[in-house]
Amino acid sequence: MTFDLTPEQDQLRDAVRALGRRYGHSYFVAKAKAGEHTTELWAEAGRLGYLGVNIPTEYGGGGGGITELAIVCEELAASGCPLLLLVVSPAIAATVLARHGTEEQRKRHLPGLADGSQKIVFAITEPEAGSNFHRLGTVARRDGDGWLLNGRKCYISGVDEADHVLVVARTEDSSTGKLKPALFLVPTDVAGLTRSKLDMEIVSPENQFLLYLDDVRLPADALVGESLDAGLPALFAGLNPERITVAAMGAGTGRYAIERASEYTATRKVWGGRSIGSHQGVSHPLAHAAVQVELARLMIQKAATLYDAGRDLEAGVAGNMAKYAAGEAAALAVDTAVQVLGGAGMTTEYGVATLLGAVRAGRIAPVSREMILNFVAQHVLGQDKSY
């Protein structure tokens, strides 16, 4: 057992950190408040190969795994630039296509995902079903040689930046008559697909949308994989990387908040010239938050290692635990940073209150802390299913 990164992973971490700090949190916030996207940062990360670290080399990627992509997510977040679309496009969409897409789909999409020239977002959540794929109302039916999709999706990130949406729908199994999940690559400009932006109380350059699919006609090759049998494994192939990279982004955000707060408390002097960080009422909460973030990082490393080793069931447990731990740690770290900075903590200038909405959302999405506790109780502790 080792907790050391390889030399290549160390170099990746250092390089991504340097890139993120050249842009920084002020860039991230300015883009968000102007209603713009982090186009320059995304494009540069793509040119440098960071967006494709987990994509096979034969499709223009770096040939690494989710461990490497988690490093990218964490270090950009630790520099104040938590890019949500890293989770959606390289982690979910690229992994699904690399593992379960047809060769034609891989050749068509993976090179663009690797260099950042293409983005594919992910649509599973629905107004009634949430992310419970057993109850999804979006249905795909055969339409001659192609498909016809109808349904609604909500809280879909980055549709306005993407070329395609990876839509999770249900199809009828001709042998059983039962509905089973399937994934479809839907162009964002296809007829019948409309969107409505959701107003969110989160400072983010990435937008959330409601999607409406009304008789969206797709060719046969829009179905991900060689057959409908690819649907369920393809879906699960994307969920573990999603949890791991969301956790990495949370851990990086926690690190960023603690670093900003520690710099402030070490230099802010009142009451006789001592730094406020010399008081345990200030330093202990920060130290506690730092411990929680570091514990979350260890679970993220474990989950990513298991996933890259092909141990999917174990990675599922560890990925859920990592997401839970990082969500809690990030929220604690940002809240603690705001508290120890006092009034300065609520200003845009000091760059911590701008993360309050994002870290609070991290305890809800992509899976809530309560559903993770249900998962652990059922699959780790052997308790009866409660829902």
Side-chain angles (χ1 to χ4, degrees), residues 98-161:
R99 280 188 145 194
H100 297 283
T102 65
E103 181 60 19
E104 180 185 356
Q105 289 167 344
R106 290 192 288 266
K107 288 179 177 178
R108 188 189 315 158
H109 297 291
L110 289 181
L113 294 177
D115 66 19
S117 62
Q118 184 178 165
K119 295 176 184 174
I120 298 177
V121 296
F122 183 62
I124 183 172
T125 308
E126 295 185 357
E128 301 299 327
S131 56
N132 180 1
F133 69 85
H134 296 291
R135 295 186 176 273
L136 294 182
T138 300
V139 175
R141 293 185 172 86
R142 294 283 188 183
D143 179 46
D145 292 335
W147 297 92
L148 194 66
L149 269 65
N150 283 280
R152 293 187 299 161
K153 299 289 182 180
C154 61
Y155 304 116
I156 309 307
S157 307
V159 180
D160 56 334
E161 302 180 62

Side-chain angles (χ1 to χ4, degrees), residues 248-264:
M249 191 167 66
T253 301
R255 285 173 50 204
Y256 166 83
I258 292 167
E259 181 179 347
R260 293 303 302 268
S262 297
E263 290 171 352
Y264 180 87

Side-chain angles (χ1 to χ4, degrees), residues 230-287:
L232 191 59
L235 175 59
F236 280 110
L239 295 184
N240 283 340
E242 175 189 48
R243 282 151 175 68
I244 295 167
T245 50
V246 163
M249 191 167 66
T253 301
R255 285 173 50 204
Y256 166 83
I258 292 167
E259 181 179 347
R260 293 303 302 268
S262 297
E263 290 171 352
Y264 180 87
T265 56
T267 56
R268 170 75 166 156
K269 295 182 179 180
V270 295
W271 302 315
R274 296 176 63 188
S275 70
I276 62 173
S278 67
H279 299 284
Q280 292 177 353
V282 173
S283 62
H284 280 191
L286 276 177

Side-chain angles (χ1 to χ4, degrees), residues 234 362 374 386:
N374 281 334
S386 64

Side-chain angles (χ1 to χ4, degrees), residues 2 48 95 122 129 166 199-200 206 348 354:
T2 177
L48 294 171
T95 301
F122 183 62
L166 189 60
D199 290 328
M200 307 291 290
E206 295 148 328
T348 302
T354 44

Side-chain angles (χ1 to χ4, degrees), residues 34-56:
E36 299 173 355
H37 304 305
T38 52
T39 305
E40 302 87 355
L41 174 54
W42 185 272
E44 187 167 356
R47 286 196 302 272
L48 294 171
Y50 305 150
L51 302 181
V53 289
N54 62 311
I55 293 174

